[in-house]
Structure formats: C-alpha cells, structure tokens
Amino acid sequence: QVQLVESGGGLVQAGGSLRLSCTASGRTFGSNTLGWFRQAPGKEREFVASISRVGTSVYYADSVKGRFTISRDNAKNTVYLQMNSLKPEDTAVYYCSARTGLGYAHQSSMYDYWGQGTQVTVSS
C-alpha cells in the first residue's frame, strides 16, 4: 500500500507560478514512474507529466511543455511539479500518482496509487 499526499495548490494570477509537492509513504518500493494528472470540471482526467524512477526520463503533455517541470527526490519520497507561466486553462484539481509498472504511461488506468488532489485556480 502506498499513500500519496499533495500540497502546494492555491489561487494564482495568470503568469504566476506554483510548486506542487507530493510525498509518498507506505510500501513505496516498486513505485517506479510517478505522474501528475489534472481534472477540470466537465472534463476527463488529463495527463500532465511523468518521471521515471531515477529521474532520467520525463514526459510532458503538449499543453504544459516548456512551462511545467517535474522532478523527484527519492530520498524524501517526494515528487514535485513546478508550474510557471500559468494560464486560466490550467485551472483544475491536480493529482499525483504512482505506477508500479515499467515505462511511460499517460492513461490514468495505468497508475496504481493516487493522492487526494489539490486545487489550482488561475485567475485572469
């Protein structure tokens, strides 16, 4: 069992920045790829970014590429999402997730553990 707890969400003006954190506890062994997803009202959950176990492979959705940066600190069992140049369309509940399988995955069904979500609201 793995528990994931996000923090860092909030209200920010367009063009501003936020950093989300997600700390894992429990049986973290075997949690290889870590990912961030988001879900806006009326829309399905959307892949944002992922990072491999040692941080050598990262992947971003086209909508956030160049603005968001995912990183991880395995010693702290924590994954981060640095969000810069935020836009109103980034407004969503952001979820961190852990995948026990290998390799990149962008579908939420491929991830095994989920945080509770943290709200990010970007005002215009």
Side-chain angles (χ1 to χ4, degrees), residues 7 9 15 22 30 36 38 56 64 67 70 74-75 82 88 90 94 102 105 121:
S7 63
C22 177
W36 287 95
R38 66 187 183 186
T56 55
V64 306
R67 299 188 297 120
I70 188 171
N74 288 341
Q82 178 67 46
D90 295 318
Y94 283 70
L102 299 175
T121 302

Side-chain angles (χ1 to χ4, degrees), residues 5 14-15 24 29 32 41 43 51 54 70 72 77 91 108 120 124:
V5 180
F29 179 81
N32 296 307
K43 297 184 178 180
I51 186 167
V54 296
I70 188 171
R72 65 190 294 170
N77 293 320
T91 296
S108 60
V120 172
S124 59

Side-chain angles (χ1 to χ4, degrees), residues 11-61:
L11 175 64
V12 66
Q13 293 182 350
S17 298
L18 285 173
R19 188 178 75 159
L20 306 183
S21 300
C22 177
T23 299
S25 61
R27 291 182 56 84
T28 58
F29 179 81
S31 297
N32 296 307
T33 298
L34 299 175
W36 287 95
F37 290 75
R38 66 187 183 186
Q39 188 166 22
K43 297 184 178 180
E44 65 181 5
R45 192 165 296 186
E46 175 189 24
F47 173 80
V48 176
S50 67
I51 186 167
S52 61
R53 187 170 186 84
V54 296
T56 55
S57 297
V58 298
Y59 186 87
Y60 299 97

